[in-house]
Amino acid sequence: MKLSEGLNVNISEVKNIIFDWGGVITDLNIDSVILAFKNLGFHHFDKAFAHDTDQSFFLGFETGKIKEPEFLKILRKYLDRDVTDRQILDAWNSILGDLPPERWTILNEVKKTYRTFLLSNTNSLHVSFYSQKLSAIYGRNGFDHLFEKIYYSHILGMRKPDRNIYEFVLQDSRLEPGETLFIDDNPENITTARELGMKAYHLAAPVTMTDIFC
């Protein structure tokens, strides 16, 4: 399986592909998570969740500076009612959509042609939840077998679109920027990748991952 034509990049030069997770491999249910927390009494979750503010404690969780117990404790301060940890976790994980079988197949096939990697701004709760979900659906615990290497922001202590996380991935896996295609749904993340010499494709609706491989 190879990249399709029409991506506005020279696909003949591509030897490596770096995938984003949410918004590329799986859909993100932003409205669902906002509603879920509103139902728990967090009425301004959308503003707190906005990643355009460095004050957001969500960013601390994504970079591993805030651990799970502290994160749940902070979340509880915003709720106007008593809820269980399970209710909070269910609300938090509701942002993650399913991984359709056709995308699962693509990831299994495309690694036969390219070196593939995963680079995601994420957190320990989402990784744990989705590993269990993939195990139940596909019999695989997580994404490990789909990629040569996985890079998670909460483990590295860095996040996109900061240049340092891209530079780390390129150096760690010895990737030539000009031979590497970066696929992400966030324009800011795409900009940084291009500044570092990578080829980049902004995946935006209605296009999905299935449309860019053949």
Side-chain angles (χ1 to χ4, degrees), residues 43 49 60 75 87 89 91 113 151 188 203 207:
H43 298 291
F49 189 64
L75 272 177
Q87 287 176 291
L89 292 174
T113 305
Y151 298 93
E188 292 184 10
L203 189 69
V207 177

PDB file of all heavy atoms in Angstrom, residues 43 49 60 75 87 89 91 113 151 188 203 207:
ATOM      1  N   HIS A  43     -19.124  23.439  33.562  1.00  0.00           N
ATOM      2  CA  HIS A  43     -19.883  24.176  32.556  1.00  0.00           C
ATOM      3  C   HIS A  43     -19.028  24.963  31.570  1.00  0.00           C
ATOM      4  O   HIS A  43     -19.531  25.411  30.543  1.00  0.00           O
ATOM      5  CB  HIS A  43     -20.873  25.112  33.251  1.00  0.00           C
ATOM      6  CG  HIS A  43     -21.876  24.377  34.088  1.00  0.00           C
ATOM      7  ND1 HIS A  43     -22.865  23.586  33.543  1.00  0.00           N
ATOM      8  CD2 HIS A  43     -22.015  24.275  35.444  1.00  0.00           C
ATOM      9  CE1 HIS A  43     -23.590  23.049  34.510  1.00  0.00           C
ATOM     10  NE2 HIS A  43     -23.097  23.443  35.673  1.00  0.00           N
ATOM     11  N   PHE A  49     -10.330  23.644  28.183  1.00  0.00           N
ATOM     12  CA  PHE A  49      -9.714  22.643  27.321  1.00  0.00           C
ATOM     13  C   PHE A  49      -8.975  23.281  26.153  1.00  0.00           C
ATOM     14  O   PHE A  49      -8.152  22.631  25.509  1.00  0.00           O
ATOM     15  CB  PHE A  49     -10.793  21.695  26.793  1.00  0.00           C
ATOM     16  CG  PHE A  49     -10.259  20.488  26.076  1.00  0.00           C
ATOM     17  CD1 PHE A  49      -9.492  19.552  26.740  1.00  0.00           C
ATOM     18  CD2 PHE A  49     -10.540  20.283  24.729  1.00  0.00           C
ATOM     19  CE1 PHE A  49      -9.005  18.427  26.087  1.00  0.00           C
ATOM     20  CE2 PHE A  49     -10.058  19.163  24.064  1.00  0.00           C
ATOM     21  CZ  PHE A  49      -9.286  18.234  24.748  1.00  0.00           C
ATOM     22  N   GLY A  60      -0.344  20.564  31.007  1.00  0.00           N
ATOM     23  CA  GLY A  60       0.540  19.936  31.982  1.00  0.00           C
ATOM     24  C   GLY A  60       0.371  18.430  32.002  1.00  0.00           C
ATOM     25  O   GLY A  60       1.343  17.683  32.171  1.00  0.00           O
ATOM     26  N   LEU A  75      -9.538  18.338  38.200  1.00  0.00           N
ATOM     27  CA  LEU A  75     -10.817  18.291  37.496  1.00  0.00           C
ATOM     28  C   LEU A  75     -11.989  18.401  38.468  1.00  0.00           C
ATOM     29  O   LEU A  75     -12.974  19.095  38.194  1.00  0.00           O
ATOM     30  CB  LEU A  75     -10.932  16.987  36.701  1.00  0.00           C
ATOM     31  CG  LEU A  75     -10.376  16.969  35.278  1.00  0.00           C
ATOM     32  CD1 LEU A  75     -10.507  15.576  34.682  1.00  0.00           C
ATOM     33  CD2 LEU A  75     -11.089  17.986  34.397  1.00  0.00           C
ATOM     34  N   GLN A  87     -16.969   8.030  36.421  1.00  0.00           N
ATOM     35  CA  GLN A  87     -17.713   9.012  35.635  1.00  0.00           C
ATOM     36  C   GLN A  87     -16.773  10.031  34.993  1.00  0.00           C
ATOM     37  O   GLN A  87     -16.963  10.424  33.842  1.00  0.00           O
ATOM     38  CB  GLN A  87     -18.741   9.731  36.522  1.00  0.00           C
ATOM     39  CG  GLN A  87     -19.943   8.886  36.897  1.00  0.00           C
ATOM     40  CD  GLN A  87     -20.861   9.620  37.852  1.00  0.00           C
ATOM     41  OE1 GLN A  87     -20.517   9.856  39.015  1.00  0.00           O
ATOM     42  NE2 GLN A  87     -22.039  10.004  37.368  1.00  0.00           N
ATOM     43  N   LEU A  89     -13.562   9.532  34.283  1.00  0.00           N
ATOM     44  CA  LEU A  89     -12.771   8.842  33.263  1.00  0.00           C
ATOM     45  C   LEU A  89     -13.588   8.607  31.996  1.00  0.00           C
ATOM     46  O   LEU A  89     -13.085   8.774  30.881  1.00  0.00           O
ATOM     47  CB  LEU A  89     -12.249   7.510  33.809  1.00  0.00           C
ATOM     48  CG  LEU A  89     -11.205   7.614  34.926  1.00  0.00           C
ATOM     49  CD1 LEU A  89     -10.878   6.234  35.473  1.00  0.00           C
ATOM     50  CD2 LEU A  89      -9.946   8.303  34.423  1.00  0.00           C
ATOM     51  N   ALA A  91     -16.070  10.382  30.926  1.00  0.00           N
ATOM     52  CA  ALA A  91     -16.225  11.675  30.254  1.00  0.00           C
ATOM     53  C   ALA A  91     -14.938  12.051  29.526  1.00  0.00           C
ATOM     54  O   ALA A  91     -14.963  12.479  28.363  1.00  0.00           O
ATOM     55  CB  ALA A  91     -16.593  12.752  31.272  1.00  0.00           C
ATOM     56  N   THR A 113       5.713  -0.763   3.276  1.00  0.00           N
ATOM     57  CA  THR A 113       6.306   0.078   2.235  1.00  0.00           C
ATOM     58  C   THR A 113       7.151   1.210   2.814  1.00  0.00           C
ATOM     59  O   THR A 113       8.171   1.593   2.236  1.00  0.00           O
ATOM     60  CB  THR A 113       5.199   0.686   1.347  1.00  0.00           C
ATOM     61  OG1 THR A 113       4.380  -0.369   0.830  1.00  0.00           O
ATOM     62  CG2 THR A 113       5.795   1.477   0.189  1.00  0.00           C
ATOM     63  N   TYR A 151       5.905   7.889  19.770  1.00  0.00           N
ATOM     64  CA  TYR A 151       6.340   9.029  20.574  1.00  0.00           C
ATOM     65  C   TYR A 151       5.113   9.728  21.157  1.00  0.00           C
ATOM     66  O   TYR A 151       4.312  10.301  20.417  1.00  0.00           O
ATOM     67  CB  TYR A 151       7.137  10.013  19.719  1.00  0.00           C
ATOM     68  CG  TYR A 151       8.414   9.440  19.146  1.00  0.00           C
ATOM     69  CD1 TYR A 151       8.431   8.868  17.875  1.00  0.00           C
ATOM     70  CD2 TYR A 151       9.604   9.466  19.875  1.00  0.00           C
ATOM     71  CE1 TYR A 151       9.602   8.344  17.339  1.00  0.00           C
ATOM     72  CE2 TYR A 151      10.782   8.942  19.348  1.00  0.00           C
ATOM     73  CZ  TYR A 151      10.771   8.384  18.082  1.00  0.00           C
ATOM     74  OH  TYR A 151      11.936   7.863  17.560  1.00  0.00           O
ATOM     75  N   GLU A 188      -1.107  24.250  12.897  1.00  0.00           N
ATOM     76  CA  GLU A 188       0.098  24.710  13.588  1.00  0.00           C
ATOM     77  C   GLU A 188       1.168  23.619  13.607  1.00  0.00           C
ATOM     78  O   GLU A 188       2.360  23.898  13.444  1.00  0.00           O
ATOM     79  CB  GLU A 188      -0.235  25.137  15.018  1.00  0.00           C
ATOM     80  CG  GLU A 188      -1.087  26.391  15.113  1.00  0.00           C
ATOM     81  CD  GLU A 188      -1.302  26.819  16.551  1.00  0.00           C
ATOM     82  OE1 GLU A 188      -0.633  26.261  17.449  1.00  0.00           O
ATOM     83  OE2 GLU A 188      -2.135  27.706  16.777  1.00  0.00           O
ATOM     84  N   LEU A 203      -4.444  16.918   7.202  1.00  0.00           N
ATOM     85  CA  LEU A 203      -5.632  16.085   7.007  1.00  0.00           C
ATOM     86  C   LEU A 203      -6.839  16.796   7.603  1.00  0.00           C
ATOM     87  O   LEU A 203      -6.929  16.976   8.817  1.00  0.00           O
ATOM     88  CB  LEU A 203      -5.440  14.725   7.679  1.00  0.00           C
ATOM     89  CG  LEU A 203      -6.519  13.683   7.379  1.00  0.00           C
ATOM     90  CD1 LEU A 203      -6.425  13.233   5.925  1.00  0.00           C
ATOM     91  CD2 LEU A 203      -6.375  12.474   8.299  1.00  0.00           C
ATOM     92  N   VAL A 207     -11.815  14.829   4.118  1.00  0.00           N
ATOM     93  CA  VAL A 207     -10.791  13.826   3.807  1.00  0.00           C
ATOM     94  C   VAL A 207     -10.460  13.035   5.067  1.00  0.00           C
ATOM     95  O   VAL A 207     -10.359  13.597   6.163  1.00  0.00           O
ATOM     96  CB  VAL A 207      -9.519  14.498   3.257  1.00  0.00           C
ATOM     97  CG1 VAL A 207      -8.428  13.460   2.999  1.00  0.00           C
ATOM     98  CG2 VAL A 207      -9.836  15.263   1.985  1.00  0.00           C
TER      99      VAL A 207
END
